[in-house]
Amino acid sequence: MAAQAQFEALILGSGQGGKLLAWHLAHSGRRTAVVERHWIGGSCPNVNCMPSKNEIWSAGVAHVARHAAEFGTKTGRVTIDMVKVRQRKRDMVDRQIAAHLRNYKDSGAELIMGAGHFVAPKTLAVRLNDGGTRMLTADQVFLNVGTHATVPDVPGLQAASPLTNIEALELDHVPPHLIVLGGGYVGLEFGQAYRRFGSRVTIIEHGSQLLSREDHDVSEEMQRILSAEGVECLVAAQTLHVHGRSGKDVTVTVRTAAGEQRIEGSDILVAAGRTPNTAGIGLEEAGVELDARGYVRVNERLETSAPDVWAIGECAGSPHFTHASVDDFRIIMDNLAGGKRSTRDRLIPYCVFTDPPLAHVGLHEGDLRRQGVTARVAKLPMNAVLRVQASGEGPGFMKVLVGASDDRIRGFTMIGREAGEVVSAVQVAMLAGLPYPKLRDAVLAHLTMAEGLGFLLSNVENAEK
Ligand SMILES: Cc1cc2nc3c(=O)[nH]c(=O)nc-3n(C[C@H](O)[C@H](O)[C@H](O)COP(=O)(O)OP(=O)(O)OC[C@H]3O[C@@H](n4cnc5c(N)ncnc54)[C@H](O)[C@@H]3O)c2cc1C
C-alpha cells in the first residue's frame, strides 16, 4: 500500500476554476495538490475553447481570402494546408501548457499527473501516468472533473469511431464530406469552419431548430447564414443508424418529415451534448451525491452532499462555459474567506463563435413566456448599423427585451460581427440596473458595432401606463 500524502486542499481535475483555486490557495500558503489525468490547464486551452477558436480563425482567413476580390484585393487560388492549421493550433496549446506549468511552479501547488478516484471520504487513489499509485487525502476537496462529448445511442455510431471535438482539432486534412451530429454551438462552429476549409458539411439536428435554446428568429437567421455558405442543415431529423467508419466512408440514415434519407459522407463528428466525468471515480465512497443526469449535486454555494467537498464548473451543472467555471472559483474563494456568495441570479453571457457570432445575455423571448414576464421587444437588422454599410460585415440582427412597465433591460441577443464585445456593454448596463434610455442616449463612438445599440434602443416602444 502506497504511503498517504496529506494536503490541506486537493483538487480533482485541473479545470478552469479548479486550477485558479489551486494557485490561489497555494499562494496563500496552503498545502495544495491538483490531480489531472490529461490536460494541463483543463479542456479550455487544450481541446475546447482556445484550440477551436484558433482553427476557426484560420478558417475565417480562408474565407476572407476567397472573398478578397470583393474588396479589391486580388489573390490566387486559395488552398488549405491543414498540417499548418493544426501546427498553429498546437503551438498555441504548447504555449498555454508552458504558462500553466509556470503558474504551478510559482504558486507552489503540486500538479500530480494521473487518474484519481475516491477510495474513502476525502481520500483519493491516483493511478499515476508515469506508473504506480499515490494515495492522497486532504482537509478540503474540490471536484473539477468536467464533461466529455456524448456519443448518442444510435446503432452503428460507436462502431463508426466518430470524431469528437478533440479529434476534429487534430485532423491533418480537409474531410471531403463532414457529417455533424448535433446543431448546438459546437456543431455549428465546427460545421462552418470545415465548410470554409473546403469540406462539404451536413449538420443533422434532431430538435425542431438549430441552437435549441435560442428564440426561433435567432435560430432561423443562423440557419440562413450557414446555408448561404453551403452548409446543409437538416432539422427535426432523427438519426436512425450509421454505417461505415469515420475517416473512410460513413452513411447516416435519418428520418425527417419528408421521409427517410441516406447521407453519404467521409467523416462524422459528434456534437450532441456533454456527459459529466463523474462515473467510475468512487464518488459514492466519498459520500458525494449525483443528480439524475450524473452531475454532482451542489447547493448555491457549490457545496456537495459530503462535508468539506465542493464542485466547480461543468461537473457541478454550472453553465457550460469557461467564464462560469471561473466564477464558481470566485464564489468558493470568497466563501472560504467567510463570504456569502452564491450562484443564484448570476448574469452569464455567452458567445457562439460562428461568423458572424451570436452573443446573448439575460432572458430569451421564450423565457418571458415561461416566467410569465411581459416585456417590450425591439429589433434592428445589422445592415441598419452604419459600420456594416462600410465594412460589408453582413447579416444578423440585434434584439433587446425591456420590461413592460419598467425600463430595465431583461435580455439582449445579437447575431453580428463583434457580438461578443457588444454584449458586454449591454451586460454592464443590466448589472448597473441602468434604465434603457441611458444607454440609448449615451454618446457611442461612430462606426463601431456598439453604435447600433442607440438605434436598437430607439426602437423600444413607450412603456405601458
Ligand atoms: C469544442 C468546444 C468549444 C468550447 N468553446 C468555448 C468557448 O469559446 N467559450 C466558453 O466559455 N466555453 C467554451 N466551451 C466550454 C468550456 O470549454 C468549458 O465549459 C470549460 O472548459 C469549463 O470546464 P470545467 O472547468 O468544468 O472543466 P474542464 O476544463 O473540462 O476540466 C476538467 C479536467 O478534469 C480532468 N479529469 C476528469 N476526470 C479526472 C480524473 N478522474 N482524474 C484526473 N483528472 C480528471 C480532465 O482531464 C480535465 O482536464 C467549449 C467546449 C467545447 C467542447
Side-chain angles (χ1 to χ4, degrees):
M1 186 69 158
Q4 193 159 294
Q6 171 73 35
F7 292 88
E8 291 174 89
L10 187 52
I11 291 142
L12 181 60
S14 87
Q16 306 318 301
K19 67 193 177 196
L20 296 176
L21 187 64
W23 300 335
H24 164 76
L25 293 174
H27 262 306
S28 38
R30 306 204 42 213
R31 190 159 185 241
T32 304
V34 176
V35 177
E36 169 56 46
R37 62 183 178 192
H38 289 309
W39 319 116
I40 296 170
S43 58
C44 168
N46 285 279
V47 288
N48 286 8
C49 331
M50 295 185 68
S52 62
K53 267 81 257 185
N54 182 294
E55 295 206 356
I56 284 170
W57 250 269
S58 288
V61 170
H63 184 74
V64 169
R66 280 200 198 94
H67 291 266
E70 293 165 25
F71 296 83
T73 297
K74 287 189 183 159
T75 59
R77 198 169 80 85
V78 175
T79 56
I80 304 296
D81 177 354
M82 280 307 287
V83 172
K84 174 77 187 158
V85 168
R86 184 181 64 179
Q87 193 55 50
R88 180 175 167 277
K89 182 225 47 170
R90 285 182 175 174
D91 291 345
M92 179 206 70
V93 173
D94 288 347
R95 287 194 300 275
Q96 284 297 311
I97 291 172
H100 279 82
L101 288 173
R102 275 197 301 278
N103 281 338
Y104 276 105
K105 190 158 175 278
D106 293 349
S107 68
E110 185 179 351
L111 175 62
I112 299 167
M113 294 303 294
H117 68 274
F118 287 93
V119 291
K122 298 194 280 183
T123 308
L124 277 178
V126 182
R127 203 166 2 91
L128 300 169
N129 291 355
D130 289 342
T133 302
R134 255 183 97 177
M135 300 295 291
L136 315 172
T137 184
D139 305 332
Q140 294 175 325
V141 172
F142 305 88
L143 306 168
N144 188 199
V145 290
T147 62
H148 61 272
T150 305
V151 179
D153 191 16
V154 171
L157 180 57
Q158 192 83 55
S161 299
L163 305 166
T164 68
N165 56 298
I166 298 174
E167 296 81 22
L169 289 165
E170 276 294 298
L171 291 179
D172 60 2
H173 63 281
V174 177
H177 183 177
L178 179 66
I179 300 171
V180 181
L181 276 193
Y185 79 88
V186 174
L188 266 48
E189 288 181 0
F190 274 99
Q192 186 184 42
Y194 271 96
R195 178 72 194 138
R196 290 177 166 198
F197 285 137
S199 297
R200 183 177 163 196
V201 172
T202 308
I203 296 177
I204 300 171
E205 166 57 43
H206 69 85
S208 59
Q209 62 171 47
L210 299 179
L211 299 168
S212 59
R213 290 196 196 137
E214 301 302 328
D215 292 336
H216 193 59
D217 55 348
V218 173
S219 163
E220 265 187 344
E221 180 73 355
M222 188 57 82
Q223 185 164 339
R224 238 191 321 273
I225 290 166
L226 294 175
S227 301
E229 288 194 26
V231 176
E232 296 158 56
C233 302
L234 284 175
V235 294
Q238 189 193 352
T239 306
L240 299 177
H241 46 80
V242 177
H243 289 292
R245 210 177 161 77
S246 186
K248 293 191 171 132
D249 293 301
V250 265
T251 304
V252 180
T253 307
V254 297
R255 184 185 295 133
T256 63
E260 276 189 23
Q261 58 177 291
R262 282 155 54 94
I263 301 149
E264 291 179 1
S266 57
D267 298 70
I268 184 163
L269 167 69
V270 283
R274 310 284 300 174
T275 303
N277 294 326
T278 52
I281 57 167
L283 288 176
E284 55 294 342
E285 306 292 334
V288 173
E289 289 172 11
L290 301 179
D291 69 14
R293 297 179 310 147
Y295 289 92
V296 177
R297 198 186 290 284
V298 290
N299 62 17
E300 290 170 349
R301 294 160 61 88
L302 298 161
E303 295 159 342
T304 72
S305 53
D308 298 320
V309 181
W310 289 256
I312 299 173
E314 295 194 350
C315 72
S318 292
H320 286 197
F321 306 113
T322 288
H323 42 285
S325 183
V326 169
D327 193 55
D328 286 357
F329 147 67
R330 299 191 301 193
I331 288 170
I332 292 175
M333 174 183 67
D334 286 356
N335 290 349
L336 288 175
K340 289 211 175 340
R341 284 184 62 176
S342 95
T343 54
R344 201 170 351 110
D345 298 333
R346 287 194 285 191
L347 195 56
I348 298 188
Y350 56 82
C351 185
V352 178
F353 290 87
T354 45
D355 180 18
L358 156 67
H360 175 84
V361 64
L363 299 180
H364 295 92
E365 278 190 84
D367 300 325
L368 296 177
R369 278 189 290 279
R370 273 188 295 278
Q371 296 180 15
V373 177
T374 49
R376 292 167 277 167
V377 181
K379 276 173 89 168
L380 184 83
M382 286 312 294
N383 61 18
V385 179
L386 294 170
R387 149 100 172 245
V388 172
Q389 293 294 320
S391 63
E393 284 168 307
F397 59 79
M398 295 182 181
K399 176 162 75 169
V400 68
L401 313 181
V402 173
S405 51
D406 61 26
D407 280 345
R408 285 184 43 216
I409 300 173
R410 299 303 175 96
F412 173 76
T413 307
M414 172 173 167
I415 297 181
R417 276 285 168 82
E418 319 292 1
E421 315 301 326
V422 176
V423 78
S424 298
V426 181
Q427 182 186 359
V428 170
M430 291 171 76
L431 286 169
L434 214 59
Y436 84 89
K438 284 273 183 205
L439 186 56
R440 178 193 64 197
D441 300 338
V443 182
L444 298 169
H446 177 50
L447 236 51
T448 60
M449 286 297 193
E451 188 185 19
L453 291 173
F455 298 107
L456 170 72
L457 294 168
S458 299
N459 289 343
V460 177
E461 285 173 10
N462 288 333
E464 289 167 4
K465 290 279 178 252

